Amino acid sequence: MNVGRGVTNKKIRVEDCSYFDMKELSKKIDLGNESTVQVRWQALSGRTASIEIKVFPPDELQFCYHVTNLPGETSFQKYYVNFVTTECNYGGKRWWFFCPRCKRRCRILYLPYDEFRYACRVCHNLTYRSQQVVRNIFGHLIDAVFGGELLINELRRCRSVRKRQVISRKLDRITKNLILFNKKMS
């Protein structure tokens, strides 16, 4: 017996896409000066590809690449992606892409196997593998048992009255769920 909604039409996962992480890219390229870099990678399917990235200071990258999607269509892509920096609290800079589609600030741009252009996770409607895991009732029972043990240990150490009340309510919910589970199984 599965708990939750049984989704048969699953979204594409970010783990199955090619991507560019601005954190890694900023280590390979000097984003403050005009430069060019060739990046190569191998997809999970065994396909290899390369992309040429040109930096146009102060805030623009040019992506140039050929892409072949799943049906076998090949297309040459050349477009610009803006970027920005933010100052960190304790010094240094953090680099961000602006998504070419929605102009949202993001750290990673993805390219699913059925698309031609890089964009953010929201624009490509991608999900994470952990969001697609179907939990059965026994998985929830194990979580309740081990979570209950952790809460009991936390309750023993806790000194705050309010925190003790919150933990007690959580333990009550777990106990009620275990009682309901026992009734269903018998």
Side-chain angles (χ1 to χ4, degrees), residues 1-11 131-136:
M1 177 176 146
N2 288 334
V3 175
R5 47 188 208 132
V7 178
T8 57
N9 186 8
K10 292 189 176 184
K11 295 180 183 179
Q131 293 174 323
Q132 293 183 336
V133 174
V134 177
R135 299 291 305 263
N136 61 23

Side-chain angles (χ1 to χ4, degrees), residues 33-177:
N33 297 321
E34 190 167 327
S35 59
T36 302
V37 69
Q38 189 92 12
V39 180
R40 298 179 191 276
W41 73 89
Q42 185 167 0
L44 294 173
S45 62
R47 253 183 351 193
T48 58
S50 66
I51 182 169
E52 183 179 88
I53 301 173
K54 293 182 182 178
V55 180
F56 295 104
D59 64 349
E60 200 167 55
L61 298 172
Q62 180 187 47
F63 285 15
C64 298
Y65 58 94
H66 284 83
V67 65
T68 305
N69 68 0
L70 199 58
E73 304 170 31
T74 301
S75 171
F76 176 72
Q77 298 293 319
K78 182 178 181 179
Y79 56 96
Y80 294 93
V81 177
N82 292 329
F83 63 90
V84 70
T85 62
T86 55
E87 299 295 323
C88 296
N89 288 336
Y90 299 106
K93 293 180 183 177
R94 184 165 290 148
W95 298 87
W96 304 92
F97 289 115
F98 279 115
C99 175
R101 285 189 187 172
C102 67
K103 305 302 181 210
R104 183 176 83 93
R105 189 178 76 177
C106 57
R107 188 179 124 189
I108 301 175
L109 294 177
Y110 297 96
L111 180 67
Y113 57 83
D114 59 345
E115 293 285 337
F116 290 111
R117 290 186 169 224
Y118 284 90
C120 67
R121 183 180 64 85
V122 175
C123 289
H124 283 309
N125 197 21
L126 301 175
T127 186
Y128 296 104
R129 178 173 288 140
S130 62
Q131 293 174 323
Q132 293 183 336
V133 174
V134 177
R135 299 291 305 263
N136 61 23
I137 197 159
F138 296 107
H140 290 290
L141 176 65
I142 290 169
D143 285 350
V145 170
F146 290 117
E149 288 178 12
L150 293 174
L151 286 173
I152 290 169
N153 290 337
E154 190 176 346
L155 186 63
R156 288 182 186 142
R157 291 188 312 253
C158 185
R159 293 184 181 175
S160 166
V161 174
R162 175 173 277 174
K163 184 75 172 175
R164 290 177 72 78
Q165 290 171 346
V166 170
I167 294 171
S168 296
R169 284 194 296 269
K170 286 181 182 179
L171 283 170
D172 288 342
R173 275 197 304 271
I174 289 173
T175 307
K176 287 177 186 174
N177 287 337

